[in-house]
Amino acid sequence: MSPQSVIDLTGVTKSFGAVKALAGVDLVLRSGECLGLVGHNGAGKSTLMNVLAGTLAPDAGHLRIDDVELDRSYSVFRAHALGVRCVFQELSLCGNLTVAENTRLLHPRLRGWNWRKRAAALIGAMLDDIFPGHGIAVGAAVADLSIAQRQMVEIARAFTVTDESLRFVILDEPTSSLDAATAGQLLAFVRRQEARGVGVILISHMLHEILETADRVVIMRDGRVIASEAASAFDREGLVSAMGGLSHQQECSTKARSPARSSEIRVRAQPSAPGNRRELTARAGEIVGLGGLAAHGQTDLLLSVFRAAQRRSPTVSVSDSVALVAGDRQRDGIFPQWSITQNIGLRSLKAMRRGPLIDPGLEDRFAEDWRARIGIRSADLKDGILSLSGGNQQKALFARALGSDARIILMDDPMRGVDVATKREVYRLIRDEADKGRTFLWYTTEMEELYECDRVYVFRNGAITADLDQDQLTEERILHASF
Ligand SMILES: Nc1ncnc2c1ncn2[C@@H]1O[C@H](COP(=O)(O)OP(=O)(O)OP(=O)(O)O)[C@@H](O)[C@H]1O
């Protein structure tokens, strides 16, 4: 690979109706460099990456790769031929195809006799390289994989090579569904790729990942690049304040307080894994964390609680109404054909009824109120939910659950793609609601979020391996119980 390989974007603009997603962006990426791209939800990061990956045509501006000006015929195919790959935030695999077949979609060269076997070998080797011990069967249908496994396949597929070169890779929130250990494997791999001369754009709301991995950090705000500096010029606080996020006081004030424990038990649940000897309980006013490595039974437990609220279960008892913030936003959370307003109000239709019909005025006010409370960035709440950026869609799902009358809120790794400032607001909201008596069951892959909880159950292979009170909570204990 030529050491001078370079992507150069200048004056790129893109509007969606009245929304100016990109307002004249300049960006340079060199081979062998890892560029960290950060900014609030809706800043324009994904839109910019879609332009670079060939999935969106800009309204104006220039894209050059190695001094070759790319015109309006630039497309996904052209990007691929030039060695540009993208791992999209909203995963792009076909659920009805196997992991190997999905790999074939990216590589037309894998054809003829035995192509499935060759595709399986290609993706299998890449999964082994990036995520040793991944446990993913390459012959499995993608729809049967957990969201973390799908994210791993999507990432590994982007790095597979047949005849064309691999020069630049865009990773749009690649670790949002991965636990810390798996995210660490990926970031180590990214550094190895850099050393081989691949240029990487890493978008993440996990600022420590950016600071540990990127050489240079570019900050976007409201469709513009507002800073571009060596990563060494920032620490976490510097980065947060440059992003125009939250104040130091905001950062510090949301830590969990030990509540006076209520005697009212709302949830009792026994994981069904063989050998499990512990029971999970959650009381009124409690925030109960579910920790451990991804996909070790936490989501199954949340779903069993959700089902038990409707139907009696031998292993789970639930004494009040529940609402669920789904972890897999695309598959289980949003209604893609509906407006933002309809998506927010869905769990509260009873409260918005006038006679047999939904009162549109009440529905609008409900959505407006939550837009203001949780800062959903949208030109018009009547627009389709897919017009929101990923993080803002996630906020709409929060609004749906928190705005409902449910006394028990189940959250399945719910902060995927939510920016730092909004996360803090949501932590505060959760704590306030718990103080008013709501119960939260919160599965998270983020250590810092477990510290927001009053109590944490750690899961391994579907069983509970530790039950830690807030004052016993340390990273070491959680890791020890996770492995
Ligand atoms: N297809 C679309 N139709 C209408 N508006 C859109 C569309 N895609 C993006 N937008 C708007 O463009 C702006 C930038 O969105 P983008 O997804 O690029 O933000 P982002 O920085 O990637 O945010 P996040 O961190 O939440 O992923 C947002 O206001 C969003 O609502």
Side-chain angles (χ1 to χ4, degrees):
M1 168 193 277
S2 138
Q4 291 85 32
S5 259
V6 63
I7 286 177
D8 191 354
L9 290 151
T10 41
V12 174
T13 65
K14 179 75 192 171
S15 294
F16 299 99
V19 177
K20 197 149 204 175
L22 299 175
V25 174
D26 298 345
L27 187 87
V28 172
L29 172 69
R30 292 176 192 84
S31 53
E33 175 187 44
C34 178
L35 188 154
L37 184 58
V38 298
H40 62 72
N41 290 135
K45 306 177 296 292
S46 299
T47 305
L48 184 63
M49 293 307 106
N50 278 311
V51 168
L52 186 46
T55 45
L56 266 184
D59 298 335
H62 300 277
L63 166 59
R64 287 184 203 88
I65 297 184
D66 293 347
D67 280 334
V68 176
E69 174 95 28
L70 296 158
D71 58 20
R72 293 195 67 79
S73 66
Y74 185 66
S75 64
V76 176
F77 298 108
R78 185 92 171 92
H80 191 88
L82 288 167
V84 178
R85 306 282 179 85
C86 186
V87 173
F88 294 99
Q89 187 186 133
E90 306 299 350
L91 306 182
S92 67
L93 302 171
C94 297
N96 59 333
L97 301 182
T98 66
V99 172
E101 288 163 351
N102 267 285
T103 307
R104 161 70 178 78
L105 294 182
L106 198 67
H107 296 290
R109 191 155 182 258
L110 290 172
R111 60 175 174 260
W113 189 74
N114 235 355
W115 69 263
R116 261 196 194 82
K117 208 165 167 188
R118 282 181 283 133
L122 186 67
I123 187 73
M126 191 50 74
L127 279 165
D128 291 345
D129 193 6
I130 307 177
F131 304 110
H134 53 83
I136 299 170
V138 292
V142 162
D144 295 336
L145 302 181
S146 69
I147 186 167
Q149 290 175 321
R150 272 184 279 145
Q151 192 156 34
M152 288 154 79
V153 171
E154 180 99 23
I155 293 164
R157 186 178 73 153
F159 284 97
T160 53
V161 174
T162 45
D163 49 352
E164 69 301 316
S165 63
L166 172 69
R167 302 198 299 167
F168 299 102
V169 179
I170 302 159
L171 298 169
D172 194 351
E173 294 184 38
T175 62
S176 60
S177 301
L178 304 183
D179 57 50
T182 317
Q185 290 178 330
L186 171 63
L187 298 177
F189 177 79
V190 165
R191 286 188 282 268
R192 296 203 296 275
Q193 287 296 308
E194 260 183 85
R196 286 180 201 154
V198 176
V200 177
I201 296 182
L202 175 64
I203 301 179
S204 180
H205 291 291
M206 319 272 182
L207 300 183
H208 65 93
E209 292 180 350
I210 295 284
L211 291 171
E212 284 161 20
T213 314
D215 304 304
R216 192 158 53 92
V217 177
V218 168
I219 305 176
M220 285 188 73
R221 192 193 297 168
D222 299 330
R224 293 174 200 280
V225 168
I226 56 159
S228 170
E229 301 267 357
S232 55
F234 295 102
D235 58 12
R236 189 177 182 283
E237 259 178 52
L239 200 49
V240 170
S241 73
M243 282 164 63
L246 61 176
S247 64
H248 183 63
Q249 188 208 1
Q250 246 182 320
E251 279 250 57
C252 298
S253 58
T254 53
K255 288 288 172 221
R257 305 178 291 280
S258 263
R261 191 170 282 180
S262 156
S263 58
E264 182 195 338
I265 293 184
R266 289 214 176 116
V267 179
R268 274 183 193 284
Q270 187 92 45
S272 53
N276 178 70
R277 287 193 199 85
R278 293 181 209 232
E279 181 186 62
L280 174 147
T281 57
R283 295 162 198 269
E286 237 183 355
I287 304 175
V288 174
L290 277 56
L293 297 179
H296 273 247
Q298 303 94 332
T299 301
D300 293 339
L301 185 121
L302 290 180
L303 293 178
S304 68
V305 173
F306 187 75
R307 282 191 290 267
Q310 287 134 29
R311 229 176 297 134
R312 280 180 74 83
S313 152
T315 52
V316 181
S317 67
V318 181
S319 70
D320 224 315
S321 52
V322 303
L324 171 73
V325 184
D328 191 340
R329 164 169 79 226
Q330 250 184 320
R331 195 169 66 174
D332 308 323
I334 58 164
F335 285 77
Q337 308 290 342
W338 291 8
S339 70
I340 303 162
T341 298
Q342 288 169 319
N343 266 282
I344 293 176
L346 181 63
R347 180 62 183 72
S348 306
L349 294 181
K350 238 195 257 173
M352 294 187 282
R353 267 209 332 235
R354 284 278 174 270
L357 301 176
I358 307 296
D359 180 335
L362 281 180
E363 199 181 28
D364 289 348
R365 277 201 293 283
F366 183 81
E368 258 321 322
D369 178 39
W370 276 95
R371 183 233 288 260
R373 285 180 74 175
I374 211 162
I376 297 170
R377 283 169 177 260
S378 154
D380 188 345
L381 293 180
K382 291 265 183 279
D383 288 344
I385 185 91
L386 292 180
S387 69
L388 293 181
S389 74
N392 280 294
Q393 289 177 28
Q394 197 63 32
K395 291 186 212 172
L397 296 187
F398 262 114
R400 183 195 294 170
L402 293 175
S404 75
D405 60 0
R407 303 296 291 152
I408 302 166
I409 310 283
L410 310 172
M411 306 193 294
D412 185 11
D413 208 4
M415 303 289 180
R416 279 186 59 216
V418 176
D419 66 36
V420 187
T422 308
K423 270 185 194 171
R424 290 286 153 193
E425 281 308 314
V426 177
Y427 297 163
R428 190 190 312 280
L429 210 56
I430 290 172
R431 176 55 62 191
D432 288 349
E433 291 295 312
D435 289 346
K436 288 183 209 154
R438 271 183 157 171
T439 303
F440 289 85
L441 256 66
W442 182 358
Y443 164 44
T444 170
T445 48
E446 293 307 305
M447 198 66 74
E448 76 164 47
E449 290 176 6
L450 291 176
Y451 287 116
E452 300 290 328
C453 299
D454 301 317
R455 210 142 47 83
V456 171
Y457 291 90
V458 185
F459 283 68
R460 188 175 65 220
N461 295 330
I464 295 173
T465 50
D467 167 6
L468 303 168
D469 268 328
Q470 196 187 77
D471 54 359
Q472 303 169 311
L473 214 51
T474 62
E475 190 164 342
E476 200 186 341
R477 283 199 177 114
I478 292 171
L479 287 175
H480 183 73
S482 303
F483 285 96

